[in-house]
Amino acid sequence: MSERVIPLFDQRLAAFKADIPAQKIAANGLLADTLGRPLRDLRISVTDRCNFRCAYCMPKEVFDKDYAYLPQNALLSFEEIALAARLFVAHGVRKLRLTGGEPLLRKNIEVLINMLAVIETRDGEPLDITLTTNGSLLHKKAQLLKDAGLKRLTVSLDGLDDAVFKKMNDVGYPVADVLAGIEAAQAVGFQSIKVNMVVQRGTNDAQILPMARHFKGTGVTLRFIEYMDVGATNGWRMDEVLPSREVMQLIHAELPLIQLDTSAPGETAERWGYAGADGKHDKAQGEIGLISSVTQAFCGDCNRARLSTDGKLYLCLFATQGHDLRSLIRGGASDDDILSAIGHIWQKRDDRYSQLRSEMPADTSTGARKVEMSYIGG
Ligand code: SF4
């Protein structure tokens, strides 16, 4: 098992001041970064707290009772989040993902969803609002989320075996309660729920086939995520990564798969459908997804920005520093000035960490302290 490290430097404090450029940057939906990538997807972390302690994200040794979580007044309020979302949408964002920590821990999150649900895209379409949860509170919240206007759900579940899952979440939380949350969400009408499983070689890879068998034909899309070197505390090692190619082959050997086209530009998952007797995709049996940030980087069309719990704009999951938008929002800057600031930041973006990592020898660390995933959302 890899060594955990206790960070000495609080990455959350490091932020660029978000400058208002002299040259106004209008919101025309055509914003592109230095690699020509548009801004289409905004992930909003609504809390840095979680009731799980998954070692690949919030290792217990670091995120313990003495960890300094953000005080309430540091968090963006619902009104500030809605304002920021509206401005990002003006720049071309079409999809909002609410994350955390565990977003269902944020009190009255359904009120925020309701505020976001009235925002339309630049061409008058409803926004695609989705949320990633560990499922622990879903059985209580499913109806409220649905009524508030949430469109889609992603549930993190790293195994079906109770002992393995409890080891992964490191708080002894039972699988049955997460499965009950997924059923509750389906019962209130959430369609095409996604389940994300982080695969760590030697820890939960024996759960790959049981998970595939369990969710096949249920309308739930199971996605396997390669274990990533996010943040600075999970002690990541390359030999604990099980490449997606091997995951696909393991499943295909028992449950034949057929590759499917990606569903949208910037889609992170490679799609594989369960094949029917005719060798074609049997839609009733559904599909799986492979998210391969380590072995098949997908930075080329990455159109995702991240807003931290306290209002910093991050341009990559593996970023080392954010841009402080909260000061502009709370400093009374006009919408146009904040729009220009966001535009200016995105235009200078050149992030492609996974691509660069894949060009470096395995286990090479860039040495830079990356921001924690629990602070900016997965
Ligand atoms: S590593 Fe960064 S740039 Fe590449 S896909 Fe992930 S978030 Fe996007």
Side-chain angles (χ1 to χ4, degrees), residues 205-237:
D205 48 323
Q207 290 297 299
I208 293 167
L209 272 170
M211 288 278 280
R213 294 181 196 121
H214 178 86
F215 287 109
K216 183 171 180 281
T218 64
V220 168
T221 297
L222 176 57
R223 303 171 341 147
F224 299 94
I225 303 180
E226 288 180 344
Y227 172 41
M228 295 181 283
D229 52 335
V230 286
T233 59
N234 70 3
W236 181 84
R237 293 201 330 245

PDB file of all heavy atoms in Angstrom, residues 205-237:
ATOM      1  N   ASP A 205      -9.830  -4.222  -8.137  1.00  0.00           N
ATOM      2  CA  ASP A 205      -9.979  -4.662  -9.540  1.00  0.00           C
ATOM      3  C   ASP A 205     -10.753  -5.974  -9.657  1.00  0.00           C
ATOM      4  O   ASP A 205     -11.351  -6.246 -10.700  1.00  0.00           O
ATOM      5  CB  ASP A 205      -8.620  -4.732 -10.259  1.00  0.00           C
ATOM      6  CG  ASP A 205      -7.548  -5.463  -9.457  1.00  0.00           C
ATOM      7  OD1 ASP A 205      -7.536  -5.314  -8.225  1.00  0.00           O
ATOM      8  OD2 ASP A 205      -6.731  -6.173 -10.056  1.00  0.00           O
ATOM      9  N   ALA A 206     -10.816  -6.746  -8.581  1.00  0.00           N
ATOM     10  CA  ALA A 206     -11.603  -7.997  -8.636  1.00  0.00           C
ATOM     11  C   ALA A 206     -13.104  -7.701  -8.659  1.00  0.00           C
ATOM     12  O   ALA A 206     -13.928  -8.601  -8.879  1.00  0.00           O
ATOM     13  CB  ALA A 206     -11.269  -8.872  -7.426  1.00  0.00           C
ATOM     14  N   GLN A 207     -13.456  -6.437  -8.488  1.00  0.00           N
ATOM     15  CA  GLN A 207     -14.873  -6.041  -8.496  1.00  0.00           C
ATOM     16  C   GLN A 207     -15.365  -5.656  -9.898  1.00  0.00           C
ATOM     17  O   GLN A 207     -16.551  -5.393 -10.094  1.00  0.00           O
ATOM     18  CB  GLN A 207     -15.073  -4.857  -7.544  1.00  0.00           C
ATOM     19  CG  GLN A 207     -14.933  -5.227  -6.080  1.00  0.00           C
ATOM     20  CD  GLN A 207     -15.999  -6.221  -5.674  1.00  0.00           C
ATOM     21  OE1 GLN A 207     -17.192  -5.935  -5.749  1.00  0.00           O
ATOM     22  NE2 GLN A 207     -15.573  -7.416  -5.317  1.00  0.00           N
ATOM     23  N   ILE A 208     -14.440  -5.593 -10.867  1.00  0.00           N
ATOM     24  CA  ILE A 208     -14.822  -5.135 -12.208  1.00  0.00           C
ATOM     25  C   ILE A 208     -15.927  -6.006 -12.799  1.00  0.00           C
ATOM     26  O   ILE A 208     -16.991  -5.500 -13.196  1.00  0.00           O
ATOM     27  CB  ILE A 208     -13.588  -5.119 -13.135  1.00  0.00           C
ATOM     28  CG1 ILE A 208     -12.587  -4.046 -12.680  1.00  0.00           C
ATOM     29  CG2 ILE A 208     -13.998  -4.890 -14.595  1.00  0.00           C
ATOM     30  CD1 ILE A 208     -11.221  -4.141 -13.328  1.00  0.00           C
ATOM     31  N   LEU A 209     -15.737  -7.304 -12.837  1.00  0.00           N
ATOM     32  CA  LEU A 209     -16.760  -8.185 -13.437  1.00  0.00           C
ATOM     33  C   LEU A 209     -18.058  -8.232 -12.624  1.00  0.00           C
ATOM     34  O   LEU A 209     -19.140  -8.104 -13.199  1.00  0.00           O
ATOM     35  CB  LEU A 209     -16.182  -9.585 -13.666  1.00  0.00           C
ATOM     36  CG  LEU A 209     -15.472  -9.750 -15.021  1.00  0.00           C
ATOM     37  CD1 LEU A 209     -14.710 -11.062 -15.083  1.00  0.00           C
ATOM     38  CD2 LEU A 209     -16.485  -9.667 -16.164  1.00  0.00           C
ATOM     39  N   PRO A 210     -17.987  -8.358 -11.286  1.00  0.00           N
ATOM     40  CA  PRO A 210     -19.252  -8.319 -10.525  1.00  0.00           C
ATOM     41  C   PRO A 210     -20.047  -7.028 -10.781  1.00  0.00           C
ATOM     42  O   PRO A 210     -21.273  -7.069 -10.917  1.00  0.00           O
ATOM     43  CB  PRO A 210     -18.774  -8.405  -9.071  1.00  0.00           C
ATOM     44  CG  PRO A 210     -17.457  -9.093  -9.133  1.00  0.00           C
ATOM     45  CD  PRO A 210     -16.834  -8.672 -10.432  1.00  0.00           C
ATOM     46  N   MET A 211     -19.358  -5.885 -10.886  1.00  0.00           N
ATOM     47  CA  MET A 211     -20.050  -4.608 -11.159  1.00  0.00           C
ATOM     48  C   MET A 211     -20.679  -4.635 -12.558  1.00  0.00           C
ATOM     49  O   MET A 211     -21.827  -4.231 -12.741  1.00  0.00           O
ATOM     50  CB  MET A 211     -19.057  -3.445 -11.037  1.00  0.00           C
ATOM     51  CG  MET A 211     -18.618  -3.121  -9.618  1.00  0.00           C
ATOM     52  SD  MET A 211     -19.813  -2.071  -8.744  1.00  0.00           S
ATOM     53  CE  MET A 211     -19.403  -0.446  -9.395  1.00  0.00           C
ATOM     54  N   ALA A 212     -19.917  -5.133 -13.544  1.00  0.00           N
ATOM     55  CA  ALA A 212     -20.444  -5.169 -14.922  1.00  0.00           C
ATOM     56  C   ALA A 212     -21.677  -6.080 -14.990  1.00  0.00           C
ATOM     57  O   ALA A 212     -22.710  -5.695 -15.544  1.00  0.00           O
ATOM     58  CB  ALA A 212     -19.352  -5.663 -15.870  1.00  0.00           C
ATOM     59  N   ARG A 213     -21.590  -7.250 -14.363  1.00  0.00           N
ATOM     60  CA  ARG A 213     -22.734  -8.185 -14.375  1.00  0.00           C
ATOM     61  C   ARG A 213     -23.947  -7.522 -13.702  1.00  0.00           C
ATOM     62  O   ARG A 213     -25.075  -7.627 -14.170  1.00  0.00           O
ATOM     63  CB  ARG A 213     -22.388  -9.468 -13.623  1.00  0.00           C
ATOM     64  CG  ARG A 213     -21.307 -10.326 -14.263  1.00  0.00           C
ATOM     65  CD  ARG A 213     -21.051 -11.597 -13.448  1.00  0.00           C
ATOM     66  NE  ARG A 213     -19.780 -12.222 -13.823  1.00  0.00           N
ATOM     67  CZ  ARG A 213     -18.781 -12.437 -12.967  1.00  0.00           C
ATOM     68  NH1 ARG A 213     -18.908 -12.095 -11.684  1.00  0.00           N
ATOM     69  NH2 ARG A 213     -17.649 -13.017 -13.387  1.00  0.00           N
ATOM     70  N   HIS A 214     -23.696  -6.803 -12.603  1.00  0.00           N
ATOM     71  CA  HIS A 214     -24.795  -6.228 -11.799  1.00  0.00           C
ATOM     72  C   HIS A 214     -25.548  -5.138 -12.563  1.00  0.00           C
ATOM     73  O   HIS A 214     -26.773  -5.073 -12.531  1.00  0.00           O
ATOM     74  CB  HIS A 214     -24.235  -5.634 -10.503  1.00  0.00           C
ATOM     75  CG  HIS A 214     -25.273  -4.993  -9.635  1.00  0.00           C
ATOM     76  ND1 HIS A 214     -26.024  -5.703  -8.714  1.00  0.00           N
ATOM     77  CD2 HIS A 214     -25.732  -3.710  -9.585  1.00  0.00           C
ATOM     78  CE1 HIS A 214     -26.882  -4.884  -8.113  1.00  0.00           C
ATOM     79  NE2 HIS A 214     -26.735  -3.673  -8.632  1.00  0.00           N
ATOM     80  N   PHE A 215     -24.808  -4.267 -13.271  1.00  0.00           N
ATOM     81  CA  PHE A 215     -25.470  -3.110 -13.887  1.00  0.00           C
ATOM     82  C   PHE A 215     -25.880  -3.347 -15.343  1.00  0.00           C
ATOM     83  O   PHE A 215     -26.662  -2.579 -15.901  1.00  0.00           O
ATOM     84  CB  PHE A 215     -24.573  -1.871 -13.769  1.00  0.00           C
ATOM     85  CG  PHE A 215     -24.516  -1.315 -12.361  1.00  0.00           C
ATOM     86  CD1 PHE A 215     -23.367  -1.443 -11.589  1.00  0.00           C
ATOM     87  CD2 PHE A 215     -25.632  -0.711 -11.804  1.00  0.00           C
ATOM     88  CE1 PHE A 215     -23.319  -0.954 -10.279  1.00  0.00           C
ATOM     89  CE2 PHE A 215     -25.613  -0.215 -10.499  1.00  0.00           C
ATOM     90  CZ  PHE A 215     -24.454  -0.339  -9.740  1.00  0.00           C
ATOM     91  N   LYS A 216     -25.407  -4.448 -15.943  1.00  0.00           N
ATOM     92  CA  LYS A 216     -25.772  -4.761 -17.335  1.00  0.00           C
ATOM     93  C   LYS A 216     -27.298  -4.900 -17.432  1.00  0.00           C
ATOM     94  O   LYS A 216     -27.919  -5.561 -16.615  1.00  0.00           O
ATOM     95  CB  LYS A 216     -25.081  -6.058 -17.769  1.00  0.00           C
ATOM     96  CG  LYS A 216     -25.302  -6.490 -19.194  1.00  0.00           C
ATOM     97  CD  LYS A 216     -24.376  -7.666 -19.530  1.00  0.00           C
ATOM     98  CE  LYS A 216     -24.541  -8.155 -20.959  1.00  0.00           C
ATOM     99  NZ  LYS A 216     -25.738  -9.026 -21.125  1.00  0.00           N
ATOM    100  N   GLY A 217     -27.904  -4.198 -18.406  1.00  0.00           N
ATOM    101  CA  GLY A 217     -29.348  -4.332 -18.614  1.00  0.00           C
ATOM    102  C   GLY A 217     -30.214  -3.605 -17.600  1.00  0.00           C
ATOM    103  O   GLY A 217     -31.429  -3.816 -17.554  1.00  0.00           O
ATOM    104  N   THR A 218     -29.619  -2.721 -16.767  1.00  0.00           N
ATOM    105  CA  THR A 218     -30.418  -2.020 -15.756  1.00  0.00           C
ATOM    106  C   THR A 218     -30.704  -0.568 -16.140  1.00  0.00           C
ATOM    107  O   THR A 218     -31.341   0.161 -15.382  1.00  0.00           O
ATOM    108  CB  THR A 218     -29.674  -1.980 -14.404  1.00  0.00           C
ATOM    109  OG1 THR A 218     -28.472  -1.198 -14.597  1.00  0.00           O
ATOM    110  CG2 THR A 218     -29.324  -3.362 -13.900  1.00  0.00           C
ATOM    111  N   GLY A 219     -30.144  -0.138 -17.289  1.00  0.00           N
ATOM    112  CA  GLY A 219     -30.323   1.275 -17.670  1.00  0.00           C
ATOM    113  C   GLY A 219     -29.270   2.179 -17.059  1.00  0.00           C
ATOM    114  O   GLY A 219     -29.200   3.371 -17.363  1.00  0.00           O
ATOM    115  N   VAL A 220     -28.445   1.612 -16.186  1.00  0.00           N
ATOM    116  CA  VAL A 220     -27.350   2.378 -15.569  1.00  0.00           C
ATOM    117  C   VAL A 220     -26.089   2.165 -16.400  1.00  0.00           C
ATOM    118  O   VAL A 220     -25.773   1.031 -16.759  1.00  0.00           O
ATOM    119  CB  VAL A 220     -27.114   1.904 -14.116  1.00  0.00           C
ATOM    120  CG1 VAL A 220     -25.812   2.469 -13.568  1.00  0.00           C
ATOM    121  CG2 VAL A 220     -28.279   2.291 -13.225  1.00  0.00           C
ATOM    122  N   THR A 221     -25.380   3.240 -16.733  1.00  0.00           N
ATOM    123  CA  THR A 221     -24.128   3.124 -17.478  1.00  0.00           C
ATOM    124  C   THR A 221     -22.963   3.111 -16.501  1.00  0.00           C
ATOM    125  O   THR A 221     -22.754   4.078 -15.764  1.00  0.00           O
ATOM    126  CB  THR A 221     -23.976   4.293 -18.464  1.00  0.00           C
ATOM    127  OG1 THR A 221     -25.038   4.230 -19.411  1.00  0.00           O
ATOM    128  CG2 THR A 221     -22.641   4.236 -19.192  1.00  0.00           C
ATOM    129  N   LEU A 222     -22.237   2.006 -16.483  1.00  0.00           N
ATOM    130  CA  LEU A 222     -21.105   1.840 -15.561  1.00  0.00           C
ATOM    131  C   LEU A 222     -19.843   2.349 -16.247  1.00  0.00           C
ATOM    132  O   LEU A 222     -19.573   1.986 -17.390  1.00  0.00           O
ATOM    133  CB  LEU A 222     -20.972   0.360 -15.212  1.00  0.00           C
ATOM    134  CG  LEU A 222     -19.810  -0.074 -14.332  1.00  0.00           C
ATOM    135  CD1 LEU A 222     -19.818   0.658 -13.001  1.00  0.00           C
ATOM    136  CD2 LEU A 222     -19.852  -1.583 -14.121  1.00  0.00           C
ATOM    137  N   ARG A 223     -19.088   3.216 -15.560  1.00  0.00           N
ATOM    138  CA  ARG A 223     -17.852   3.757 -16.144  1.00  0.00           C
ATOM    139  C   ARG A 223     -16.684   3.446 -15.238  1.00  0.00           C
ATOM    140  O   ARG A 223     -16.772   3.597 -14.017  1.00  0.00           O
ATOM    141  CB  ARG A 223     -17.991   5.257 -16.367  1.00  0.00           C
ATOM    142  CG  ARG A 223     -19.178   5.543 -17.258  1.00  0.00           C
ATOM    143  CD  ARG A 223     -19.643   6.884 -17.479  1.00  0.00           C
ATOM    144  NE  ARG A 223     -19.265   7.898 -16.582  1.00  0.00           N
ATOM    145  CZ  ARG A 223     -19.065   9.158 -17.003  1.00  0.00           C
ATOM    146  NH1 ARG A 223     -19.169   9.441 -18.290  1.00  0.00           N
ATOM    147  NH2 ARG A 223     -18.766  10.123 -16.162  1.00  0.00           N
ATOM    148  N   PHE A 224     -15.612   2.992 -15.821  1.00  0.00           N
ATOM    149  CA  PHE A 224     -14.412   2.633 -15.088  1.00  0.00           C
ATOM    150  C   PHE A 224     -13.379   3.746 -15.258  1.00  0.00           C
ATOM    151  O   PHE A 224     -13.069   4.133 -16.386  1.00  0.00           O
ATOM    152  CB  PHE A 224     -13.862   1.306 -15.599  1.00  0.00           C
ATOM    153  CG  PHE A 224     -14.824   0.157 -15.430  1.00  0.00           C
ATOM    154  CD1 PHE A 224     -15.684  -0.209 -16.456  1.00  0.00           C
ATOM    155  CD2 PHE A 224     -14.886  -0.531 -14.231  1.00  0.00           C
ATOM    156  CE1 PHE A 224     -16.595  -1.251 -16.297  1.00  0.00           C
ATOM    157  CE2 PHE A 224     -15.785  -1.579 -14.056  1.00  0.00           C
ATOM    158  CZ  PHE A 224     -16.645  -1.935 -15.097  1.00  0.00           C
ATOM    159  N   ILE A 225     -12.886   4.262 -14.151  1.00  0.00           N
ATOM    160  CA  ILE A 225     -11.946   5.393 -14.165  1.00  0.00           C
ATOM    161  C   ILE A 225     -10.566   4.903 -13.742  1.00  0.00           C
ATOM    162  O   ILE A 225     -10.415   4.265 -12.695  1.00  0.00           O
ATOM    163  CB  ILE A 225     -12.420   6.506 -13.207  1.00  0.00           C
ATOM    164  CG1 ILE A 225     -13.825   6.986 -13.569  1.00  0.00           C
ATOM    165  CG2 ILE A 225     -11.441   7.670 -13.200  1.00  0.00           C
ATOM    166  CD1 ILE A 225     -14.360   8.091 -12.662  1.00  0.00           C
ATOM    167  N   GLU A 226      -9.569   5.186 -14.556  1.00  0.00           N
ATOM    168  CA  GLU A 226      -8.198   4.846 -14.167  1.00  0.00           C
ATOM    169  C   GLU A 226      -7.802   5.665 -12.936  1.00  0.00           C
ATOM    170  O   GLU A 226      -8.116   6.862 -12.854  1.00  0.00           O
ATOM    171  CB  GLU A 226      -7.226   5.134 -15.309  1.00  0.00           C
ATOM    172  CG  GLU A 226      -7.334   4.148 -16.468  1.00  0.00           C
ATOM    173  CD  GLU A 226      -6.356   4.449 -17.601  1.00  0.00           C
ATOM    174  OE1 GLU A 226      -5.815   5.582 -17.635  1.00  0.00           O
ATOM    175  OE2 GLU A 226      -6.153   3.570 -18.458  1.00  0.00           O
ATOM    176  N   TYR A 227      -7.155   5.034 -12.002  1.00  0.00           N
ATOM    177  CA  TYR A 227      -6.679   5.687 -10.774  1.00  0.00           C
ATOM    178  C   TYR A 227      -5.695   6.798 -11.169  1.00  0.00           C
ATOM    179  O   TYR A 227      -4.751   6.555 -11.909  1.00  0.00           O
ATOM    180  CB  TYR A 227      -6.014   4.610  -9.911  1.00  0.00           C
ATOM    181  CG  TYR A 227      -5.283   5.060  -8.678  1.00  0.00           C
ATOM    182  CD1 TYR A 227      -5.776   6.059  -7.842  1.00  0.00           C
ATOM    183  CD2 TYR A 227      -4.066   4.459  -8.338  1.00  0.00           C
ATOM    184  CE1 TYR A 227      -5.088   6.453  -6.708  1.00  0.00           C
ATOM    185  CE2 TYR A 227      -3.373   4.828  -7.192  1.00  0.00           C
ATOM    186  CZ  TYR A 227      -3.889   5.835  -6.393  1.00  0.00           C
ATOM    187  OH  TYR A 227      -3.195   6.215  -5.275  1.00  0.00           O
ATOM    188  N   MET A 228      -5.947   8.016 -10.682  1.00  0.00           N
ATOM    189  CA  MET A 228      -5.188   9.177 -11.158  1.00  0.00           C
ATOM    190  C   MET A 228      -4.339   9.807 -10.056  1.00  0.00           C
ATOM    191  O   MET A 228      -4.694   9.767  -8.876  1.00  0.00           O
ATOM    192  CB  MET A 228      -6.152  10.247 -11.677  1.00  0.00           C
ATOM    193  CG  MET A 228      -6.949   9.847 -12.896  1.00  0.00           C
ATOM    194  SD  MET A 228      -8.030  11.174 -13.444  1.00  0.00           S
ATOM    195  CE  MET A 228      -9.349  11.067 -12.235  1.00  0.00           C
ATOM    196  N   ASP A 229      -3.289  10.495 -10.463  1.00  0.00           N
ATOM    197  CA  ASP A 229      -2.419  11.233  -9.520  1.00  0.00           C
ATOM    198  C   ASP A 229      -2.983  12.621  -9.255  1.00  0.00           C
ATOM    199  O   ASP A 229      -2.293  13.638  -9.402  1.00  0.00           O
ATOM    200  CB  ASP A 229      -0.991  11.334 -10.068  1.00  0.00           C
ATOM    201  CG  ASP A 229      -0.948  11.895 -11.485  1.00  0.00           C
ATOM    202  OD1 ASP A 229      -1.959  11.757 -12.203  1.00  0.00           O
ATOM    203  OD2 ASP A 229       0.070  12.484 -11.864  1.00  0.00           O
ATOM    204  N   VAL A 230      -4.248  12.671  -8.839  1.00  0.00           N
ATOM    205  CA  VAL A 230      -4.846  13.967  -8.520  1.00  0.00           C
ATOM    206  C   VAL A 230      -4.317  14.464  -7.180  1.00  0.00           C
ATOM    207  O   VAL A 230      -3.933  13.678  -6.316  1.00  0.00           O
ATOM    208  CB  VAL A 230      -6.386  13.855  -8.416  1.00  0.00           C
ATOM    209  CG1 VAL A 230      -7.022  13.703  -9.784  1.00  0.00           C
ATOM    210  CG2 VAL A 230      -6.796  12.715  -7.504  1.00  0.00           C
ATOM    211  N   GLY A 231      -4.292  15.794  -7.025  1.00  0.00           N
ATOM    212  CA  GLY A 231      -3.887  16.387  -5.763  1.00  0.00           C
ATOM    213  C   GLY A 231      -2.451  16.073  -5.391  1.00  0.00           C
ATOM    214  O   GLY A 231      -1.627  15.747  -6.239  1.00  0.00           O
ATOM    215  N   ALA A 232      -2.188  16.186  -4.077  1.00  0.00           N
ATOM    216  CA  ALA A 232      -0.818  15.992  -3.588  1.00  0.00           C
ATOM    217  C   ALA A 232      -0.770  15.060  -2.386  1.00  0.00           C
ATOM    218  O   ALA A 232       0.237  15.019  -1.683  1.00  0.00           O
ATOM    219  CB  ALA A 232      -0.236  17.347  -3.206  1.00  0.00           C
ATOM    220  N   THR A 233      -1.846  14.297  -2.149  1.00  0.00           N
ATOM    221  CA  THR A 233      -1.886  13.536  -0.886  1.00  0.00           C
ATOM    222  C   THR A 233      -2.211  12.054  -1.056  1.00  0.00           C
ATOM    223  O   THR A 233      -2.169  11.314  -0.078  1.00  0.00           O
ATOM    224  CB  THR A 233      -2.968  14.135   0.044  1.00  0.00           C
ATOM    225  OG1 THR A 233      -4.223  14.070  -0.642  1.00  0.00           O
ATOM    226  CG2 THR A 233      -2.648  15.553   0.432  1.00  0.00           C
ATOM    227  N   ASN A 234      -2.555  11.582  -2.278  1.00  0.00           N
ATOM    228  CA  ASN A 234      -3.036  10.182  -2.352  1.00  0.00           C
ATOM    229  C   ASN A 234      -1.922   9.158  -2.604  1.00  0.00           C
ATOM    230  O   ASN A 234      -2.207   7.969  -2.729  1.00  0.00           O
ATOM    231  CB  ASN A 234      -4.158  10.051  -3.396  1.00  0.00           C
ATOM    232  CG  ASN A 234      -3.655  10.199  -4.829  1.00  0.00           C
ATOM    233  OD1 ASN A 234      -2.458  10.353  -5.071  1.00  0.00           O
ATOM    234  ND2 ASN A 234      -4.584  10.169  -5.777  1.00  0.00           N
ATOM    235  N   GLY A 235      -0.657   9.610  -2.663  1.00  0.00           N
ATOM    236  CA  GLY A 235       0.459   8.665  -2.781  1.00  0.00           C
ATOM    237  C   GLY A 235       0.400   7.811  -4.043  1.00  0.00           C
ATOM    238  O   GLY A 235       0.819   6.664  -4.064  1.00  0.00           O
ATOM    239  N   TRP A 236      -0.103   8.406  -5.099  1.00  0.00           N
ATOM    240  CA  TRP A 236      -0.316   7.680  -6.366  1.00  0.00           C
ATOM    241  C   TRP A 236       0.951   6.993  -6.866  1.00  0.00           C
ATOM    242  O   TRP A 236       2.037   7.563  -6.805  1.00  0.00           O
ATOM    243  CB  TRP A 236      -0.798   8.679  -7.419  1.00  0.00           C
ATOM    244  CG  TRP A 236      -1.082   8.087  -8.762  1.00  0.00           C
ATOM    245  CD1 TRP A 236      -2.243   7.465  -9.159  1.00  0.00           C
ATOM    246  CD2 TRP A 236      -0.217   8.084  -9.913  1.00  0.00           C
ATOM    247  NE1 TRP A 236      -2.134   7.062 -10.464  1.00  0.00           N
ATOM    248  CE2 TRP A 236      -0.900   7.440 -10.960  1.00  0.00           C
ATOM    249  CE3 TRP A 236       1.091   8.546 -10.147  1.00  0.00           C
ATOM    250  CZ2 TRP A 236      -0.346   7.247 -12.216  1.00  0.00           C
ATOM    251  CZ3 TRP A 236       1.652   8.370 -11.403  1.00  0.00           C
ATOM    252  CH2 TRP A 236       0.927   7.723 -12.430  1.00  0.00           C
ATOM    253  N   ARG A 237       0.759   5.765  -7.393  1.00  0.00           N
ATOM    254  CA  ARG A 237       1.858   5.056  -8.052  1.00  0.00           C
ATOM    255  C   ARG A 237       1.329   4.432  -9.333  1.00  0.00           C
ATOM    256  O   ARG A 237       0.188   3.908  -9.351  1.00  0.00           O
ATOM    257  CB  ARG A 237       2.429   3.952  -7.163  1.00  0.00           C
ATOM    258  CG  ARG A 237       3.135   4.444  -5.923  1.00  0.00           C
ATOM    259  CD  ARG A 237       4.099   3.415  -5.357  1.00  0.00           C
ATOM    260  NE  ARG A 237       3.707   2.047  -5.603  1.00  0.00           N
ATOM    261  CZ  ARG A 237       3.378   1.178  -4.636  1.00  0.00           C
ATOM    262  NH1 ARG A 237       3.344   1.580  -3.386  1.00  0.00           N
ATOM    263  NH2 ARG A 237       3.048  -0.049  -4.922  1.00  0.00           N
TER     264      ARG A 237
END
